[in-house]
Amino acid sequence: MDSETTLKQEVAWASHLSLQACLLPAPKGTSCANYARCVNQILLGVNNMQLWLRIPLLKTDDDSMDINSNSLVDSWELWNSFRMLCEHHSQLSIALDVLSSLPSANSLGRWFGESVRAAIIDTDSFLTNARGYPCLSKRHQKLITEFFNHSVQIVISGKPVHGLPKGSADLAANNNDSNFDDWVLQKVKDCVGISCEGFEEENKALFTAIEASHYKDKLASFSNPANKGVHRHPLRSYLDYVGYLYQRMDPLPEQERFELGYRDFLQSPLQPLMDNLEAQTYETFEKDAVKYIQYQRAICKALQDRVPDGKALMITTVLMVVGAGRGPLVRASLQAAEETGRKLKIYAVEKNPNAVVTLHSLVKLEGWENIVTIVSSDMRYWDAPEKADILVSELLGSFGDNELSPECLDGAQRFLKDDGISIPSSYTSFIQPITASKLYNDVKSHKDVVHFETAYVVKLHNVARLAPSQPVFTFTHPNRSTNKSNQRYMKLQFDIPSETGSSMVHGFAGYFDAKLYKDIHLGIEPTTATPNMFSWFSIFFPLRTPVVVHPGSSLEVHFWRCCGPAKVWYEWCITSPSPSSIQNSNGRSYWVGL
């Protein structure tokens, strides 16, 4: 009881000082119920302060060890027990103690889906380079870089174990022969903003307070002649090396910088049939040049297949853009016709009356009146004056069919010729199990079932992808089958690599891949994703109760796509390793309106 009282007093004092976080010692042994009970009581009383629990980054590869032994085999198991005893509290996070030996890459990957706030690197984990300075192994370097990418703070701990030669200047690898002071001054200028405006804004997701204060202090010391020769902090050389690792990282690409604010931010999917999109939404999607380049390439191929070169000036191809929006696909179609030398007659069908106004202005501005006919109507109910050779649409959602592309295109198929071409011609949805502690806690904060039974669009970042994605539902257009039902069911089994160790599944990431025409595709499935395309983020299907999957166990998942007279919805559940309830039964929480 004395230790419990002392801990509560220490945390109360930290809270009184308005500290952002308080570092808690690692649990001793594998049993932590008493410690977790005390911390859970503290968590119920703190306001904004975070509690960071120290956890050693440890996983032995010896699976033959006695599971009843008190020795720690996998530190993730220790963390998982602790956080479950504390009810997945959002203010309980991790400070990982990085040791001299590291687990496998798959085992390390689990932690990037957890709430890791700091990585504590002991000086014993550092090697010595040829000049006697501290450095890290290649695997440690890669891990530190990943920590930077996930905004994890780096803390150096321990006593200096490297005897540094006076006057030597090599910080890191063996190829740095420049003077140490010159290197630091240059890095200060690059890092703090001297002659480099906007650095901090562009890199605010990665920039750490430790580095900023270090380099500013270094600059101050050089600016003050009285400080020449002042004794440096004994751990400064270790921090210099970590700073060096940060400095040599590639800058974020422009697309990543644009998406920073969307990382791990839950958004409700669009309801394009029920709601009319706003101008800002159209404008964002229209900026995605890569998407329209892919569409233009697909239309070019379709036109060339449809009309031989010898008849290019004799035949006029009827092309219908269904869901034309403000006209980007109309423009892509006309550019494809110009590129291939084919003649086009275009019908631009759009149900949003506000977008139709902009579309009329575009057609008049570009002088397309004799080529483009604008139709203000829902494609499912429009009576076309003639049939189309090519039907073009961009009705895909993050999960492929989740914005009702099948229902819309089935309705529009009646005015496509029997040998007509649909672009896209098919699309497939994919899912994969993920650890996503932040997303789970964000959903949990609403304290209701509805939010756990909703699919969210999200730019996934702090997640661990536990197994390769697998296909779920496929739709083909035109749909010539006699069974026109768009209801689907799929059972999937995921095998998580045994070297990963145990892991927690908070939900499923969803993607799609679409074949526009022949070999032209676009999509966001990680292994085949179209580069530099930002129109779609992933979709996230949360689990009401996270599931722990142990080594050697498989994860069995069931997904349904259900259709009713006025709505379409998804249901999902897990049956192995332990059954869960079926979520979103009868579309009670989340649906897409027809």
PDB file of all heavy atoms in Angstrom, residues 320-352:
ATOM      1  N   MET A 320     -21.446   8.327 -73.117  1.00  0.00           N
ATOM      2  CA  MET A 320     -22.254   8.913 -72.044  1.00  0.00           C
ATOM      3  C   MET A 320     -21.453   8.928 -70.757  1.00  0.00           C
ATOM      4  O   MET A 320     -20.941   7.892 -70.324  1.00  0.00           O
ATOM      5  CB  MET A 320     -23.552   8.129 -71.842  1.00  0.00           C
ATOM      6  CG  MET A 320     -24.498   8.195 -73.027  1.00  0.00           C
ATOM      7  SD  MET A 320     -26.041   7.306 -72.739  1.00  0.00           S
ATOM      8  CE  MET A 320     -26.893   7.593 -74.301  1.00  0.00           C
ATOM      9  N   VAL A 321     -21.330  10.111 -70.184  1.00  0.00           N
ATOM     10  CA  VAL A 321     -20.699  10.262 -68.870  1.00  0.00           C
ATOM     11  C   VAL A 321     -21.828  10.331 -67.853  1.00  0.00           C
ATOM     12  O   VAL A 321     -22.580  11.312 -67.819  1.00  0.00           O
ATOM     13  CB  VAL A 321     -19.824  11.531 -68.796  1.00  0.00           C
ATOM     14  CG1 VAL A 321     -19.214  11.665 -67.408  1.00  0.00           C
ATOM     15  CG2 VAL A 321     -18.734  11.492 -69.853  1.00  0.00           C
ATOM     16  N   VAL A 322     -21.977   9.291 -67.063  1.00  0.00           N
ATOM     17  CA  VAL A 322     -23.071   9.245 -66.083  1.00  0.00           C
ATOM     18  C   VAL A 322     -22.504   9.599 -64.713  1.00  0.00           C
ATOM     19  O   VAL A 322     -21.552   8.986 -64.240  1.00  0.00           O
ATOM     20  CB  VAL A 322     -23.758   7.864 -66.080  1.00  0.00           C
ATOM     21  CG1 VAL A 322     -24.567   7.686 -67.358  1.00  0.00           C
ATOM     22  CG2 VAL A 322     -22.757   6.737 -65.959  1.00  0.00           C
ATOM     23  N   GLY A 323     -23.070  10.631 -64.100  1.00  0.00           N
ATOM     24  CA  GLY A 323     -22.481  11.225 -62.903  1.00  0.00           C
ATOM     25  C   GLY A 323     -21.360  12.150 -63.327  1.00  0.00           C
ATOM     26  O   GLY A 323     -20.207  12.017 -62.886  1.00  0.00           O
ATOM     27  N   ALA A 324     -21.697  13.102 -64.191  1.00  0.00           N
ATOM     28  CA  ALA A 324     -20.676  13.958 -64.824  1.00  0.00           C
ATOM     29  C   ALA A 324     -20.101  14.999 -63.881  1.00  0.00           C
ATOM     30  O   ALA A 324     -19.038  15.562 -64.171  1.00  0.00           O
ATOM     31  CB  ALA A 324     -21.265  14.649 -66.058  1.00  0.00           C
ATOM     32  N   GLY A 325     -20.798  15.284 -62.767  1.00  0.00           N
ATOM     33  CA  GLY A 325     -20.286  16.286 -61.838  1.00  0.00           C
ATOM     34  C   GLY A 325     -20.124  17.627 -62.511  1.00  0.00           C
ATOM     35  O   GLY A 325     -21.032  18.105 -63.192  1.00  0.00           O
ATOM     36  N   ARG A 326     -18.951  18.244 -62.375  1.00  0.00           N
ATOM     37  CA  ARG A 326     -18.694  19.552 -62.989  1.00  0.00           C
ATOM     38  C   ARG A 326     -17.885  19.422 -64.284  1.00  0.00           C
ATOM     39  O   ARG A 326     -17.396  20.419 -64.797  1.00  0.00           O
ATOM     40  CB  ARG A 326     -17.974  20.473 -62.005  1.00  0.00           C
ATOM     41  CG  ARG A 326     -18.710  20.646 -60.685  1.00  0.00           C
ATOM     42  CD  ARG A 326     -18.233  21.844 -59.901  1.00  0.00           C
ATOM     43  NE  ARG A 326     -16.781  21.881 -59.727  1.00  0.00           N
ATOM     44  CZ  ARG A 326     -16.129  22.857 -59.099  1.00  0.00           C
ATOM     45  NH1 ARG A 326     -16.820  23.864 -58.580  1.00  0.00           N
ATOM     46  NH2 ARG A 326     -14.819  22.824 -58.958  1.00  0.00           N
ATOM     47  N   GLY A 327     -17.728  18.176 -64.786  1.00  0.00           N
ATOM     48  CA  GLY A 327     -17.189  18.012 -66.118  1.00  0.00           C
ATOM     49  C   GLY A 327     -15.794  17.474 -66.320  1.00  0.00           C
ATOM     50  O   GLY A 327     -15.323  17.447 -67.453  1.00  0.00           O
ATOM     51  N   PRO A 328     -15.070  17.006 -65.275  1.00  0.00           N
ATOM     52  CA  PRO A 328     -13.702  16.533 -65.545  1.00  0.00           C
ATOM     53  C   PRO A 328     -13.645  15.315 -66.460  1.00  0.00           C
ATOM     54  O   PRO A 328     -12.717  15.200 -67.276  1.00  0.00           O
ATOM     55  CB  PRO A 328     -13.162  16.202 -64.147  1.00  0.00           C
ATOM     56  CG  PRO A 328     -14.366  16.006 -63.288  1.00  0.00           C
ATOM     57  CD  PRO A 328     -15.399  16.922 -63.838  1.00  0.00           C
ATOM     58  N   LEU A 329     -14.625  14.397 -66.359  1.00  0.00           N
ATOM     59  CA  LEU A 329     -14.618  13.236 -67.250  1.00  0.00           C
ATOM     60  C   LEU A 329     -15.028  13.616 -68.663  1.00  0.00           C
ATOM     61  O   LEU A 329     -14.611  12.970 -69.644  1.00  0.00           O
ATOM     62  CB  LEU A 329     -15.549  12.149 -66.711  1.00  0.00           C
ATOM     63  CG  LEU A 329     -14.985  11.279 -65.586  1.00  0.00           C
ATOM     64  CD1 LEU A 329     -15.981  10.197 -65.197  1.00  0.00           C
ATOM     65  CD2 LEU A 329     -13.666  10.637 -65.996  1.00  0.00           C
ATOM     66  N   VAL A 330     -15.849  14.651 -68.803  1.00  0.00           N
ATOM     67  CA  VAL A 330     -16.184  15.157 -70.133  1.00  0.00           C
ATOM     68  C   VAL A 330     -14.919  15.685 -70.810  1.00  0.00           C
ATOM     69  O   VAL A 330     -14.639  15.384 -71.979  1.00  0.00           O
ATOM     70  CB  VAL A 330     -17.254  16.265 -70.036  1.00  0.00           C
ATOM     71  CG1 VAL A 330     -17.514  16.889 -71.411  1.00  0.00           C
ATOM     72  CG2 VAL A 330     -18.556  15.710 -69.452  1.00  0.00           C
ATOM     73  N   ARG A 331     -14.146  16.433 -70.066  1.00  0.00           N
ATOM     74  CA  ARG A 331     -12.886  16.967 -70.599  1.00  0.00           C
ATOM     75  C   ARG A 331     -11.924  15.831 -70.964  1.00  0.00           C
ATOM     76  O   ARG A 331     -11.298  15.833 -72.029  1.00  0.00           O
ATOM     77  CB  ARG A 331     -12.241  17.906 -69.581  1.00  0.00           C
ATOM     78  CG  ARG A 331     -10.981  18.602 -70.096  1.00  0.00           C
ATOM     79  CD  ARG A 331     -10.334  19.437 -68.999  1.00  0.00           C
ATOM     80  NE  ARG A 331     -11.206  20.504 -68.535  1.00  0.00           N
ATOM     81  CZ  ARG A 331     -11.328  21.679 -69.147  1.00  0.00           C
ATOM     82  NH1 ARG A 331     -10.634  21.919 -70.262  1.00  0.00           N
ATOM     83  NH2 ARG A 331     -12.137  22.598 -68.661  1.00  0.00           N
ATOM     84  N   ALA A 332     -11.798  14.835 -70.072  1.00  0.00           N
ATOM     85  CA  ALA A 332     -10.908  13.702 -70.339  1.00  0.00           C
ATOM     86  C   ALA A 332     -11.348  12.945 -71.587  1.00  0.00           C
ATOM     87  O   ALA A 332     -10.510  12.497 -72.386  1.00  0.00           O
ATOM     88  CB  ALA A 332     -10.878  12.764 -69.131  1.00  0.00           C
ATOM     89  N   SER A 333     -12.667  12.818 -71.802  1.00  0.00           N
ATOM     90  CA  SER A 333     -13.186  12.117 -72.979  1.00  0.00           C
ATOM     91  C   SER A 333     -12.860  12.876 -74.257  1.00  0.00           C
ATOM     92  O   SER A 333     -12.453  12.278 -75.271  1.00  0.00           O
ATOM     93  CB  SER A 333     -14.701  11.923 -72.849  1.00  0.00           C
ATOM     94  OG  SER A 333     -15.026  11.184 -71.692  1.00  0.00           O
ATOM     95  N   LEU A 334     -13.027  14.181 -74.227  1.00  0.00           N
ATOM     96  CA  LEU A 334     -12.729  14.992 -75.404  1.00  0.00           C
ATOM     97  C   LEU A 334     -11.235  15.013 -75.706  1.00  0.00           C
ATOM     98  O   LEU A 334     -10.823  15.007 -76.877  1.00  0.00           O
ATOM     99  CB  LEU A 334     -13.256  16.414 -75.199  1.00  0.00           C
ATOM    100  CG  LEU A 334     -14.792  16.533 -75.227  1.00  0.00           C
ATOM    101  CD1 LEU A 334     -15.240  17.919 -74.770  1.00  0.00           C
ATOM    102  CD2 LEU A 334     -15.325  16.243 -76.632  1.00  0.00           C
ATOM    103  N   GLN A 335     -10.416  15.008 -74.670  1.00  0.00           N
ATOM    104  CA  GLN A 335      -8.968  14.949 -74.884  1.00  0.00           C
ATOM    105  C   GLN A 335      -8.569  13.604 -75.474  1.00  0.00           C
ATOM    106  O   GLN A 335      -7.672  13.528 -76.330  1.00  0.00           O
ATOM    107  CB  GLN A 335      -8.245  15.201 -73.557  1.00  0.00           C
ATOM    108  CG  GLN A 335      -8.312  16.652 -73.101  1.00  0.00           C
ATOM    109  CD  GLN A 335      -7.738  16.869 -71.714  1.00  0.00           C
ATOM    110  OE1 GLN A 335      -7.603  15.922 -70.928  1.00  0.00           O
ATOM    111  NE2 GLN A 335      -7.417  18.108 -71.390  1.00  0.00           N
ATOM    112  N   ALA A 336      -9.225  12.529 -75.043  1.00  0.00           N
ATOM    113  CA  ALA A 336      -8.958  11.204 -75.604  1.00  0.00           C
ATOM    114  C   ALA A 336      -9.364  11.155 -77.080  1.00  0.00           C
ATOM    115  O   ALA A 336      -8.661  10.555 -77.909  1.00  0.00           O
ATOM    116  CB  ALA A 336      -9.707  10.138 -74.809  1.00  0.00           C
ATOM    117  N   ALA A 337     -10.498  11.781 -77.423  1.00  0.00           N
ATOM    118  CA  ALA A 337     -10.941  11.820 -78.821  1.00  0.00           C
ATOM    119  C   ALA A 337      -9.955  12.585 -79.693  1.00  0.00           C
ATOM    120  O   ALA A 337      -9.637  12.173 -80.819  1.00  0.00           O
ATOM    121  CB  ALA A 337     -12.327  12.459 -78.900  1.00  0.00           C
ATOM    122  N   GLU A 338      -9.452  13.688 -79.153  1.00  0.00           N
ATOM    123  CA  GLU A 338      -8.466  14.479 -79.899  1.00  0.00           C
ATOM    124  C   GLU A 338      -7.167  13.691 -80.083  1.00  0.00           C
ATOM    125  O   GLU A 338      -6.556  13.710 -81.154  1.00  0.00           O
ATOM    126  CB  GLU A 338      -8.199  15.796 -79.161  1.00  0.00           C
ATOM    127  CG  GLU A 338      -7.232  16.718 -79.886  1.00  0.00           C
ATOM    128  CD  GLU A 338      -7.001  18.015 -79.135  1.00  0.00           C
ATOM    129  OE1 GLU A 338      -7.696  18.264 -78.121  1.00  0.00           O
ATOM    130  OE2 GLU A 338      -6.117  18.789 -79.560  1.00  0.00           O
ATOM    131  N   GLU A 339      -6.751  12.997 -79.036  1.00  0.00           N
ATOM    132  CA  GLU A 339      -5.510  12.228 -79.092  1.00  0.00           C
ATOM    133  C   GLU A 339      -5.581  11.085 -80.097  1.00  0.00           C
ATOM    134  O   GLU A 339      -4.590  10.770 -80.772  1.00  0.00           O
ATOM    135  CB  GLU A 339      -5.198  11.681 -77.694  1.00  0.00           C
ATOM    136  CG  GLU A 339      -3.890  10.924 -77.580  1.00  0.00           C
ATOM    137  CD  GLU A 339      -3.630  10.410 -76.173  1.00  0.00           C
ATOM    138  OE1 GLU A 339      -4.161  11.002 -75.200  1.00  0.00           O
ATOM    139  OE2 GLU A 339      -2.904   9.399 -76.038  1.00  0.00           O
ATOM    140  N   THR A 340      -6.746  10.460 -80.205  1.00  0.00           N
ATOM    141  CA  THR A 340      -6.894   9.303 -81.094  1.00  0.00           C
ATOM    142  C   THR A 340      -7.464   9.674 -82.463  1.00  0.00           C
ATOM    143  O   THR A 340      -7.528   8.815 -83.352  1.00  0.00           O
ATOM    144  CB  THR A 340      -7.814   8.250 -80.448  1.00  0.00           C
ATOM    145  OG1 THR A 340      -9.096   8.851 -80.146  1.00  0.00           O
ATOM    146  CG2 THR A 340      -7.200   7.719 -79.163  1.00  0.00           C
ATOM    147  N   GLY A 341      -7.906  10.920 -82.613  1.00  0.00           N
ATOM    148  CA  GLY A 341      -8.482  11.342 -83.889  1.00  0.00           C
ATOM    149  C   GLY A 341      -9.862  10.782 -84.141  1.00  0.00           C
ATOM    150  O   GLY A 341     -10.293  10.635 -85.292  1.00  0.00           O
ATOM    151  N   ARG A 342     -10.602  10.463 -83.071  1.00  0.00           N
ATOM    152  CA  ARG A 342     -11.957   9.930 -83.205  1.00  0.00           C
ATOM    153  C   ARG A 342     -12.995  11.028 -82.988  1.00  0.00           C
ATOM    154  O   ARG A 342     -12.723  12.027 -82.296  1.00  0.00           O
ATOM    155  CB  ARG A 342     -12.197   8.811 -82.194  1.00  0.00           C
ATOM    156  CG  ARG A 342     -11.911   7.392 -82.677  1.00  0.00           C
ATOM    157  CD  ARG A 342     -10.553   7.217 -83.243  1.00  0.00           C
ATOM    158  NE  ARG A 342     -10.235   5.811 -83.558  1.00  0.00           N
ATOM    159  CZ  ARG A 342      -9.086   5.409 -84.045  1.00  0.00           C
ATOM    160  NH1 ARG A 342      -8.130   6.300 -84.293  1.00  0.00           N
ATOM    161  NH2 ARG A 342      -8.879   4.136 -84.320  1.00  0.00           N
ATOM    162  N   LYS A 343     -14.172  10.804 -83.578  1.00  0.00           N
ATOM    163  CA  LYS A 343     -15.276  11.759 -83.420  1.00  0.00           C
ATOM    164  C   LYS A 343     -16.187  11.288 -82.285  1.00  0.00           C
ATOM    165  O   LYS A 343     -16.484  10.096 -82.167  1.00  0.00           O
ATOM    166  CB  LYS A 343     -16.063  11.864 -84.725  1.00  0.00           C
ATOM    167  CG  LYS A 343     -15.249  12.437 -85.886  1.00  0.00           C
ATOM    168  CD  LYS A 343     -16.034  12.382 -87.185  1.00  0.00           C
ATOM    169  CE  LYS A 343     -17.248  13.306 -87.156  1.00  0.00           C
ATOM    170  NZ  LYS A 343     -17.977  13.299 -88.465  1.00  0.00           N
ATOM    171  N   LEU A 344     -16.637  12.237 -81.470  1.00  0.00           N
ATOM    172  CA  LEU A 344     -17.447  11.915 -80.304  1.00  0.00           C
ATOM    173  C   LEU A 344     -18.743  12.706 -80.281  1.00  0.00           C
ATOM    174  O   LEU A 344     -18.807  13.867 -80.724  1.00  0.00           O
ATOM    175  CB  LEU A 344     -16.684  12.227 -79.017  1.00  0.00           C
ATOM    176  CG  LEU A 344     -15.787  11.156 -78.371  1.00  0.00           C
ATOM    177  CD1 LEU A 344     -15.319  11.640 -77.003  1.00  0.00           C
ATOM    178  CD2 LEU A 344     -16.505   9.828 -78.237  1.00  0.00           C
ATOM    179  N   LYS A 345     -19.751  12.066 -79.723  1.00  0.00           N
ATOM    180  CA  LYS A 345     -20.976  12.745 -79.309  1.00  0.00           C
ATOM    181  C   LYS A 345     -21.177  12.375 -77.847  1.00  0.00           C
ATOM    182  O   LYS A 345     -21.276  11.193 -77.509  1.00  0.00           O
ATOM    183  CB  LYS A 345     -22.167  12.298 -80.141  1.00  0.00           C
ATOM    184  CG  LYS A 345     -23.474  12.970 -79.754  1.00  0.00           C
ATOM    185  CD  LYS A 345     -24.625  12.486 -80.629  1.00  0.00           C
ATOM    186  CE  LYS A 345     -25.923  13.186 -80.279  1.00  0.00           C
ATOM    187  NZ  LYS A 345     -27.054  12.704 -81.117  1.00  0.00           N
ATOM    188  N   ILE A 346     -21.217  13.391 -76.983  1.00  0.00           N
ATOM    189  CA  ILE A 346     -21.212  13.123 -75.539  1.00  0.00           C
ATOM    190  C   ILE A 346     -22.530  13.554 -74.897  1.00  0.00           C
ATOM    191  O   ILE A 346     -23.032  14.663 -75.156  1.00  0.00           O
ATOM    192  CB  ILE A 346     -20.041  13.857 -74.847  1.00  0.00           C
ATOM    193  CG1 ILE A 346     -18.697  13.311 -75.357  1.00  0.00           C
ATOM    194  CG2 ILE A 346     -20.119  13.704 -73.334  1.00  0.00           C
ATOM    195  CD1 ILE A 346     -17.491  13.995 -74.741  1.00  0.00           C
ATOM    196  N   TYR A 347     -23.056  12.664 -74.068  1.00  0.00           N
ATOM    197  CA  TYR A 347     -24.159  13.011 -73.165  1.00  0.00           C
ATOM    198  C   TYR A 347     -23.580  13.073 -71.754  1.00  0.00           C
ATOM    199  O   TYR A 347     -22.987  12.089 -71.282  1.00  0.00           O
ATOM    200  CB  TYR A 347     -25.270  11.965 -73.212  1.00  0.00           C
ATOM    201  CG  TYR A 347     -26.060  11.948 -74.502  1.00  0.00           C
ATOM    202  CD1 TYR A 347     -25.661  11.142 -75.568  1.00  0.00           C
ATOM    203  CD2 TYR A 347     -27.198  12.732 -74.655  1.00  0.00           C
ATOM    204  CE1 TYR A 347     -26.381  11.112 -76.753  1.00  0.00           C
ATOM    205  CE2 TYR A 347     -27.934  12.712 -75.844  1.00  0.00           C
ATOM    206  CZ  TYR A 347     -27.515  11.898 -76.881  1.00  0.00           C
ATOM    207  OH  TYR A 347     -28.237  11.885 -78.060  1.00  0.00           O
ATOM    208  N   ALA A 348     -23.741  14.206 -71.101  1.00  0.00           N
ATOM    209  CA  ALA A 348     -23.262  14.372 -69.725  1.00  0.00           C
ATOM    210  C   ALA A 348     -24.467  14.364 -68.796  1.00  0.00           C
ATOM    211  O   ALA A 348     -25.248  15.330 -68.762  1.00  0.00           O
ATOM    212  CB  ALA A 348     -22.482  15.678 -69.579  1.00  0.00           C
ATOM    213  N   VAL A 349     -24.630  13.266 -68.059  1.00  0.00           N
ATOM    214  CA  VAL A 349     -25.809  13.070 -67.210  1.00  0.00           C
ATOM    215  C   VAL A 349     -25.423  13.352 -65.758  1.00  0.00           C
ATOM    216  O   VAL A 349     -24.498  12.732 -65.220  1.00  0.00           O
ATOM    217  CB  VAL A 349     -26.355  11.634 -67.345  1.00  0.00           C
ATOM    218  CG1 VAL A 349     -27.652  11.485 -66.557  1.00  0.00           C
ATOM    219  CG2 VAL A 349     -26.561  11.266 -68.813  1.00  0.00           C
ATOM    220  N   GLU A 350     -26.132  14.271 -65.109  1.00  0.00           N
ATOM    221  CA  GLU A 350     -25.825  14.659 -63.727  1.00  0.00           C
ATOM    222  C   GLU A 350     -27.111  15.011 -62.991  1.00  0.00           C
ATOM    223  O   GLU A 350     -27.932  15.779 -63.487  1.00  0.00           O
ATOM    224  CB  GLU A 350     -24.863  15.843 -63.713  1.00  0.00           C
ATOM    225  CG  GLU A 350     -24.557  16.417 -62.338  1.00  0.00           C
ATOM    226  CD  GLU A 350     -24.056  15.365 -61.354  1.00  0.00           C
ATOM    227  OE1 GLU A 350     -23.121  14.620 -61.702  1.00  0.00           O
ATOM    228  OE2 GLU A 350     -24.612  15.299 -60.237  1.00  0.00           O
ATOM    229  N   LYS A 351     -27.276  14.443 -61.790  1.00  0.00           N
ATOM    230  CA  LYS A 351     -28.514  14.674 -61.019  1.00  0.00           C
ATOM    231  C   LYS A 351     -28.443  15.912 -60.131  1.00  0.00           C
ATOM    232  O   LYS A 351     -29.474  16.430 -59.707  1.00  0.00           O
ATOM    233  CB  LYS A 351     -28.834  13.449 -60.169  1.00  0.00           C
ATOM    234  CG  LYS A 351     -27.954  13.287 -58.938  1.00  0.00           C
ATOM    235  CD  LYS A 351     -28.443  12.189 -58.029  1.00  0.00           C
ATOM    236  CE  LYS A 351     -27.610  12.109 -56.765  1.00  0.00           C
ATOM    237  NZ  LYS A 351     -27.691  13.305 -55.921  1.00  0.00           N
ATOM    238  N   ASN A 352     -27.217  16.374 -59.792  1.00  0.00           N
ATOM    239  CA  ASN A 352     -27.062  17.523 -58.897  1.00  0.00           C
ATOM    240  C   ASN A 352     -27.311  18.816 -59.682  1.00  0.00           C
ATOM    241  O   ASN A 352     -26.488  19.196 -60.523  1.00  0.00           O
ATOM    242  CB  ASN A 352     -25.653  17.516 -58.310  1.00  0.00           C
ATOM    243  CG  ASN A 352     -25.431  18.617 -57.280  1.00  0.00           C
ATOM    244  OD1 ASN A 352     -26.230  19.554 -57.165  1.00  0.00           O
ATOM    245  ND2 ASN A 352     -24.336  18.525 -56.539  1.00  0.00           N
TER     246      ASN A 352
END
